[in-house]
Each structure stands twice: as structure tokens, then as C-alpha cells.
Amino acid sequence: MDTSIHTSEAMVRRRAKRRAAERRFRAYGATAVALAIAALGALFASIIGNGYTAFQQTYIELEITYDPETLGLGEARDAAALSAANYPGVVKKAMRETFPEVTGRRAKRRLYGIVSSGASFILRERVLADPGLVGETRRVWVPADDDVDMLVKGHIDRDAPEAERRVKDDQIAWITRLERAGRIEKRFNTTFFTAGDSREPELAGVRGAAAGSFFTLLVTLALSFPIGVAAAVYLEEFAPTNRLTDLIEVNINNLAAVPSIIFGLLGLAVFINFFGLPRSAPLVGGLVLTLMTLPTIIIASRAALKSVPPSIREAALGMGASKMQTITHHVLPLAMPGMLTGTIIGMAQALGETAPLLMIGMVAFIVDVPGGLLDPSTALPVQIFLWADSPERAFIERTSAAIMVLLAFLITMNALAVVLRRRFERRW
Amino acid sequence: MNATASEMLLVNEPPPPPPPAEPVAADPVPAGIETVGRITVDQPRMTSRNVSVMYGDKMGIEDVNLDIGKNEVLAMIGPSGCGKSTFLRCLNRMNDTVDVCRVTGTIRLDGEDVHDPRLDVVQLRARVGMVFQKPNPFPKSIYDNVAYGPRIHGLAEGRRETDAIVQRSLEKAGLWNEVRDRLEQPGTGLSGGQQQRLCIARAIAVSPEVILMDEPCSALDPIATARIEELIDELRENYTIVIVTHSMQQAARVSQRTAYFHLGRLIEVGETSQIFTNPRHDLTEDYITGRFG
Ligand SMILES: Nc1ncnc2c1ncn2[C@@H]1O[C@H](COP(=O)(O)OP(=O)(O)O)[C@@H](O)[C@H]1O
Ligand SMILES: [Mg+2]
């Protein structure tokens, strides 16, 4: 017993060393995970910290008199006349009546400036919905100008020297009076979710970009999933192993590594310049992102097909199933979770892709929410890029808010991938 | 002793096989074959003549001539890598699925050449079923596992007929009483022995003539093995069975004829009792006495 080599001193030392090495190994892993979580946490904290205020918008209550004279209506009450009426005049009049002491062109202009130019659109909508309003007086909440919004939210320092502020002293005085009168309020910013892009931050929303992303991804999914799966099935199940298929395999792997902007250039040259498809269209964006996503889907799908145990194929073939039956009845259902996961990851990549879309003109300033595959549009990441580039302080928080919207989409898609994998995963 | 099989054969020139009692209608037995024992049977279900298999430029089996009789259990034994599985997989053309594999020679099922382009391999595999070494039920319900073959071959119309086939097959495979209440549960949830019997049920659901079994018990415990062996004995009444086995006791228990392979050649074939009590070839004797394997 005492002579056993397993109890010798050298062996005991070796075992202690082995245990220490194991502990270190675990510690490396834990550190890596902690770093990743910290980085993610910092990212989220910064984005949410910067962006959460964008989900609120300052509104000002005005006492609006829909005076037919100010509106320039005369006796006309038809839709065309109502639509073309002078609503900004009504807003200005309401402002003047609220602060009758303001005189002088410059001061008046500053006064009008605390209300968003979008206020007149709201009034027009109301009148068009209910022409009986003409001649009446109503209290209406209208959005404040973005600078006022920033001031109310505390992003502009009221004590800074006037020259360094975008909101002047007299404007601050008016706002303070409105605040005291309870006529300034922060409300949930529905505009952000229902409007397209705008030069005015308080009127800008992500709806247009989200719709653009949606249509673009629709095209990408509709093309890249069937093509990718078909290519993977062919390569994995049918193609002979020879030089040609080796070459194809190498090229698919290379394509996955091509910088995405190259695909944008290709799309510009082929789809727009050669085939004459419209610029800025989700159709073209989807085609370009399909090129980019295909390698990802093909590689993931092939891995999924490879992981189907050969014994299942043999079982089916041994039963007299044809090759196609073997694939459609057994191999594809078993590979589907992996394929779907790969597809969703590819789609998530495509959703976050900016560079190729810049090349095909999806970077234009587009106010209207696109309604189809050929309407000019942008996409969420491009919208983020555009807003990040804007000088207005209010666009900073909207940039972060748009990033949050994009992240929410991405997280939803990834969660969907996990759910699909769980749901369809089979054990054998 | 490092002599290869062919050298051995030159040294120990075996006695020529006795002529068949009746001339077999199919291909004549080629002259100059080296197999010891009678390769033909009176009522052949399948015949193979000069069957060789190449994997690329590597020899899998060489010049195998062997008949498989109706309603007999033929056991194939031999050391690992001697080509038992390769020959077995020729019989239902499973080797077609291996890219590098080239099969030459003639194999007939009931007189029909299995390589005849007019014969559909799908049909061949329905007539010559296969059970694999590792139980490989589909990751579907027990019911669907058994119903799969009848469905793809159009053997059953409607749920009632399918139900009947499923029940009959599971009964024949001795599994019905164990699974009758859980036909909708996954086949992969059964024990190893049950899974293998499910695979046998799946194979017999399409009413094959021949069942090929490649070491069907090598992944099973002794009790499950005994059940499969009993089952093989029962199935012999209706089917021709070719079984590859590593266990000589198993070959002795379940088979009527035994074929001994060595390095890709069929060395000896004969009545099982004769092979195990009185092998005529030295290699066979060495193997069954445990000198190598
Ligand atoms: N798919 C294959 N590719 C290449 N060689 C193979 C393949 N399958 C079997 N072989 C070779 O053929 C020979 C016979 O194999 P096999 O029939 O599986 O032997 P056994 O079943 O008797 O153990 C072996 O030398 C093996 O290496
Ligand atoms: Mg084998």
C-alpha cells in the first residue's frame, strides 16, 4: 500500500497542480463572461440613459380660435378650402393672445418659435375631421418646439449665458409662465412611432424606417430562405464531391467574409444600373441583403443537414424511401431548427446592415412612410445613421431611441430563434 | 503466421465443392472458385455470383458466390473488416448510397437481377428489408415508425388498414403488448432492445421477402439479445433472413447455414452444425476456435 505510486509525494504535488490549473481555467472563463456582460451592460445603460427621454414629448396647451377670417376661409367650407386654410396664422394668433405684451417682429418670431410647426397640422386634421369647429374656440395641446422640449427635459442649462443657448431669456420666461399655469406637459411621444422622418425632431418618427426595414427584410427572407435551403440541400445531399463542388464551397465561405459594402456596390451596378430598378426601394435593398445573407444561411443549413445522423438516412433508404422522400420526410424536419436559427441570425444581421443600403440610395431623406416594395424608403440602421449626423440636440435622444427600437427588433428575432430551436428540437 | 487468405488457399487447396443436387436455374456456379462447402441451395431466394466490391481502389469483397435459401437463416461470421456488412449491403443495394463504392457481379432476387435498370431500387429495398447494427428508429411516434413503409409504398389505404398493419407488424416483432398503450409516444423513448424490435417491426411492415440484419444485437444486453434471437426463429417461417453476427453462439443458435468471410473472401459455407463442429477450412477452424477474431 505505502509503496503505491499514487500516494507518493510527487504524485500529490502533481494533483495539487492539476487542481490549481483547473481553478485557473474556470476563472478565465468566468472573467470572460463577466467582461462580456459588463460591456453589454454599459452599452445598454448608455443607450437607454440617452434615449429614454425621447419617448416623451413636451406639449403646450393653446386656446385656439378657429376664426374663419384668420383662416382665410371666407364663406367656403369645402374640403379643399379647409385643407388649404391658414392654420399657422391661427396658432400665431393664439400665441399672441396668450402673451399680448410681446411686440416687435423679432420677439414675436421667438414667441412663435416655442411651438412646433407641426401644431398647424394638428389643427388642420381636427378641422377636416369636424368642419363644425370653424368659428369655435377650443383648448388644444400641441407639441412644443424641439429646443423647448430639450429645455423642459433639462437638457439645456437655463443658467448658461444666453448666447450659448438655443432658447433665449424671453422664451424661458414665457415657458416658465406657461409651466406655472399648468399649460406645459410631458406626454408619451406617439409621433415617434407613427411618423416618418422629418427635419423637425419633434415631428420625426421611426415608422417610415421601420416600414422600410420590414419590406426590405420581407424580400430578403422570401428570397434567401428558399434559395439558401435549396442550395444547402443540393450541396449536402446531391452534389458529387469533386473539384467543382470544392470550389463552390470555398467560394460560399469567401462570400460570407466579403465586406457588405461590396454587395451594395454590386447591387447598384446590377439591380439599379443594369436592370433599371428604382433607387431607394426596399426591393433593391432586399435583393442586396439577400446576396449578403445567403452565405450565412447556406453555411448554417449545411451544418444543420450534416448534423442529422446518417443512421436516420440509412433507416429511410433501407425502408425503400426514395432520396427525395428521405430528405423531405426525415432529413429536412430534423435539420429545420438549425436552418431556422441560421436564417434568423442572417436576418438579424441584415436588419442591422447599413453600408450596402447607403450604396443603393436608401439613405435619402424620406418623409412618407413607404407602403410597398417600390416606394422610396430608408431602413432603421440608416435612420439611426442619419439622425446621429443631425446637429439638433433633440436628435441625439431620438438616435438612441431608434437604436432601442432596432435592438428590440433584434432581441425579438433572437428570442424567436431560441424558441423555434427549443420547439422543434428532437432528440434521438 | 502472416500469410494472406489467398496464399493460404494456395497452400491448403480445398476439396472442390460437391455438385448441386439439382442444377440451379440461375447463373451457373463459375469454375475455379475457392469457397469451401456448398454455396448453392435447392430453393434459392437470392443468389450472388462473382460479386466484388471496390471502395475506390480498395477491395471490399472479392468474388463472392453464395445462395440464400427460402425461409432459412443464413449467418455471416468473420473477423472485423472482412466484408460481411459490405456483402449484406449488396443484397439490397445499400452500397449505392456510398459514393466511392463499385459493385460488380450478379445478384438475383427470385431470379431477377437486382441491378437490372428496369428494377426500381425502391422496390428492391421494400422486398429486401434491413435492420441495422445500432437501433435507428425515426424520431417520430412508434405508430409512425411502423406505418412509414406502408405509407410510402402505398400498401395501406386509410387509417383502418394502416392500424391493422401496424398492429400485425408489432405483434410479429413481439412488441405489441409492450407498446399498445403508447403508440403515439416517440420510438426513440423505448429501451435499446425495444427500439431494435421496433426497427424489425418497421421492416416487416412492408412485407419483405428477405430481411437483412447487420449485427442487430451488438448494442443490446443479453436479455434483449435473447428476445431478438427468439424473434428471428419465429420470423424464419415467413421470411428469409441473413444475419451478420460477431457472436458465434448466436450464429449457432439462430442459423441453419453459416458463411465464414475472411479478408473480403467467402472462405467456407455450410450447415451451421457442420461449420461449428467440423470446419473444413483451416481459417474457419482458427476463427471458431478463437485463434483470431
Ligand atoms: N464506406 C466505406 N469506404 C471505404 N471503405 C470501406 C467502407 N465501408 C467498408 N469499407 C472497407 O471494406 C472492408 C469491409 O468492411 P465491412 O464490410 O464493413 O466489414 P465487416 O462488416 O465484416 O466488419 C473493410 O476493409 C472496410 O475498411
Ligand atoms: Mg460490419
Side-chain angles (χ1 to χ4, degrees):
Chain A
M1 252 327 269
D2 45 345
T3 57
S4 164
I5 56 163
H6 296 291
T7 52
S8 73
E9 208 167 294
M11 198 55 121
V12 169
R13 268 203 307 277
R14 221 168 2 247
R15 273 203 296 271
K17 238 170 119 176
R18 201 166 64 188
R19 271 199 301 276
E22 213 146 294
R23 272 197 302 275
R24 270 201 306 281
F25 191 67
R26 275 187 54 161
Y28 294 148
T31 316
V33 172
L35 275 177
I37 289 177
L40 205 64
L43 180 78
F44 274 100
S46 121
I47 290 170
I48 295 174
N50 269 326
Y52 78 97
T53 46
F55 296 119
Q56 288 197 318
Q57 162 69 33
T58 307
Y59 278 76
I60 298 176
E61 192 189 40
L62 294 183
E63 186 145 334
I64 299 284
T65 306
Y66 298 97
D67 170 22
E69 207 165 309
T70 323
L71 284 168
L73 275 177
E75 292 306 310
R77 293 291 183 274
D78 55 300
L82 289 178
S83 173
N86 179 17
Y87 296 101
V90 177
V91 176
K92 287 176 186 167
K93 188 153 170 263
M95 294 299 291
R96 281 196 306 273
E97 281 163 7
T98 315
F99 298 102
E101 73 281 7
V102 179
T103 50
R105 275 182 45 154
R106 286 177 167 220
K108 276 185 185 160
R109 199 141 80 233
R110 284 203 293 279
L111 176 66
Y112 303 153
I114 68 174
V115 171
S116 166
S117 56
S120 50
F121 301 129
I122 292 178
L123 300 187
R124 180 168 67 188
E125 261 167 45
R126 298 210 170 175
V127 170
L128 285 175
D130 175 15
L133 279 175
V134 176
E136 303 283 312
T137 300
R138 289 280 185 286
R139 293 183 158 245
V140 182
W141 286 91
V142 296
D145 184 66
D146 57 307
D147 290 326
V148 177
D149 186 41
M150 291 298 104
L151 183 86
V152 171
K153 285 173 180 169
H155 295 316
I156 292 179
D157 183 5
R158 296 186 191 214
D159 302 326
E162 185 176 17
E164 289 170 21
R165 275 194 254 113
R166 288 177 56 87
V167 187
K168 302 302 164 203
D169 285 343
D170 49 359
Q171 287 180 312
I172 292 182
W174 299 323
I175 291 163
T176 315
R177 270 172 60 195
L178 285 170
E179 277 174 332
R180 292 229 176 86
R183 294 175 63 180
I184 284 194
E185 218 175 82
K186 280 191 283 184
R187 300 181 159 193
F188 182 70
N189 187 359
T190 42
T191 312
F192 185 72
F193 296 99
T194 55
D197 198 7
S198 170
R199 295 283 181 223
E200 304 298 330
E202 73 274 13
L203 301 180
V206 289
R207 173 84 179 276
S213 274
F214 173 77
F215 288 124
T216 307
L217 285 191
L218 204 64
V219 174
T220 307
L221 181 66
L223 290 175
S224 62
F225 183 65
I227 297 177
V229 169
V233 167
Y234 177 76
L235 288 172
E236 207 50 51
E237 306 286 334
F238 291 99
T241 36
N242 57 26
R243 293 267 287 285
L244 183 67
T245 44
D246 282 351
L247 194 74
I248 292 176
E249 169 142 22
V250 168
N251 272 313
I252 288 175
N253 291 338
N254 281 342
L255 272 186
V258 168
S260 55
I261 196 156
I262 309 280
F263 287 113
L265 280 171
L266 182 78
L268 178 64
V270 175
F271 299 128
I272 295 182
N273 291 344
F274 185 75
F275 286 110
L277 292 173
R279 270 170 191 279
S280 311
L283 177 65
V284 181
L287 288 169
V288 168
L289 293 181
T290 298
L291 296 178
M292 209 200 74
T293 314
L294 262 180
T296 312
I297 295 185
I298 293 177
I299 291 170
S301 299
R302 290 188 68 179
L305 289 169
K306 268 204 191 84
S307 72
V308 174
S311 63
I312 296 295
R313 275 175 247 258
E314 287 211 309
L317 291 171
M319 290 298 303
S322 67
K323 187 150 192 168
M324 203 186 109
Q325 286 172 327
T326 304
I327 292 170
T328 54
H329 297 166
H330 301 285
V331 177
L332 274 184
L334 291 176
M336 203 39 81
M339 291 180 164
L340 288 177
T341 310
T343 304
I344 292 176
I345 290 172
M347 297 304 288
Q349 271 174 12
L351 176 62
E353 200 54 67
T354 321
L357 301 184
L358 305 184
M359 302 310 297
I360 56 156
M362 288 186 81
V363 70
F365 172 71
I366 291 150
V367 176
D368 294 324
V369 175
L373 297 182
L374 292 174
D375 292 353
S377 63
T378 56
L380 274 173
V382 182
Q383 187 69 75
I384 291 166
F385 168 79
L386 284 171
W387 283 350
D389 217 25
S390 303
E392 287 88 348
R393 175 64 182 78
F395 271 129
I396 295 179
E397 62 175 34
R398 276 168 179 75
T399 305
S400 292
I403 292 173
M404 278 191 259
V405 172
L406 182 63
L407 282 178
F409 275 115
L410 288 174
I411 290 170
T412 312
M413 287 171 79
N414 283 331
L416 193 68
V418 173
V419 169
L420 283 174
R421 204 164 42 207
R422 291 262 168 82
R423 168 83 56 91
F424 294 114
E425 200 159 55
R426 307 226 200 181
R427 265 168 258 283
W428 48 77
Chain B
M1 195 171 74
N2 284 328
T4 65
S6 46
E7 281 167 338
M8 295 279 309
L9 288 167
L10 288 177
V11 177
N12 308 309
E13 188 59 39
E22 283 171 304
V24 181
D27 310 71
V29 179
I33 55 154
E34 299 144 336
T35 305
V36 177
R38 189 179 155 207
I39 61 147
T40 56
V41 293
D42 298 342
Q43 288 200 309
R45 175 67 81 187
M46 297 193 81
T47 62
S48 74
R49 293 293 176 269
N50 294 104
V51 173
S52 298
V53 176
M54 299 289 289
Y55 290 107
D57 41 3
K58 191 165 158 280
M59 181 66 73
I61 53 172
E62 193 177 0
D63 254 345
V64 173
N65 296 282
L66 183 59
D67 287 4
I68 302 150
K70 287 186 177 141
N71 296 37
E72 77 168 359
V73 177
L74 171 76
M76 304 205 293
I77 59 171
S80 280
C82 66
K84 307 178 296 286
S85 299
T86 302
F87 179 68
L88 194 74
R89 291 162 60 91
C90 288
L91 299 176
N92 68 345
R93 287 179 55 187
M94 276 303 273
N95 282 330
D96 289 11
T97 61
V98 181
D99 277 346
V100 293
C101 186
R102 290 243 310 114
V103 180
T104 54
T106 319
I107 298 172
R108 289 178 190 279
L109 169 63
D110 293 332
E112 284 177 77
D113 187 348
V114 303
H115 289 106
D116 190 327
R118 277 166 304 180
L119 183 125
D120 195 345
V121 65
V122 162
Q123 192 211 342
L124 172 70
R125 289 183 190 148
R127 291 170 64 186
V128 183
M130 191 157 195
V131 176
F132 296 83
Q133 180 166 359
K134 203 178 130 240
N136 57 354
F138 299 126
K140 298 176 187 278
S141 71
I142 294 170
Y143 184 95
D144 286 339
N145 262 282
V146 183
Y148 183 67
R151 277 184 189 143
I152 59 170
H153 294 294
L155 301 182
E157 266 174 38
R159 178 86 192 190
R160 288 250 308 284
E161 271 181 57
T162 316
D163 284 351
I165 291 183
V166 168
Q167 178 170 355
R168 207 165 55 237
S169 307
L170 285 168
E171 277 167 357
K172 278 194 203 163
L175 195 60
W176 176 249
N177 288 331
E178 288 157 68
V179 301
R180 60 189 306 167
D181 302 323
R182 44 172 176 153
L183 291 175
E184 293 312 317
Q185 286 176 21
T188 41
L190 298 172
S191 74
Q194 288 174 324
Q195 287 190 17
Q196 197 62 298
R197 276 180 282 145
L198 177 61
C199 292
I200 293 173
R202 182 176 69 184
I204 57 189
V206 292
S207 311
E209 294 154 44
V210 183
I211 303 175
L212 310 175
M213 300 187 176
D214 193 349
E215 302 186 29
C217 302
S218 64
L220 305 184
D221 62 75
I223 294 170
T225 301
R227 292 223 47 179
I228 304 265
E229 287 178 8
E230 274 169 41
L231 179 59
I232 292 171
D233 215 42
E234 288 162 22
L235 293 175
R236 181 162 68 92
E237 285 183 22
N238 301 309
Y239 307 96
T240 297
I241 296 172
V242 186
I243 176 170
V244 172
T245 175
H246 256 123
S247 151
M248 281 174 275
Q249 291 82 352
Q250 183 168 68
R253 280 194 297 263
V254 300
S255 70
Q256 286 76 56
R257 282 165 80 231
T258 297
Y260 173 68
F261 285 75
H262 189 92
L263 289 179
R265 289 174 181 259
L266 177 55
I267 301 297
E268 181 168 354
V269 58
E271 299 290 324
T272 299
S273 52
Q274 175 253 312
I275 294 280
F276 284 105
T277 54
N278 187 21
R280 283 156 59 189
H281 198 288
D282 289 354
L283 284 170
T284 319
E285 183 169 357
D286 286 351
Y287 183 71
I288 63 169
T289 53
R291 239 169 281 174
F292 60 84

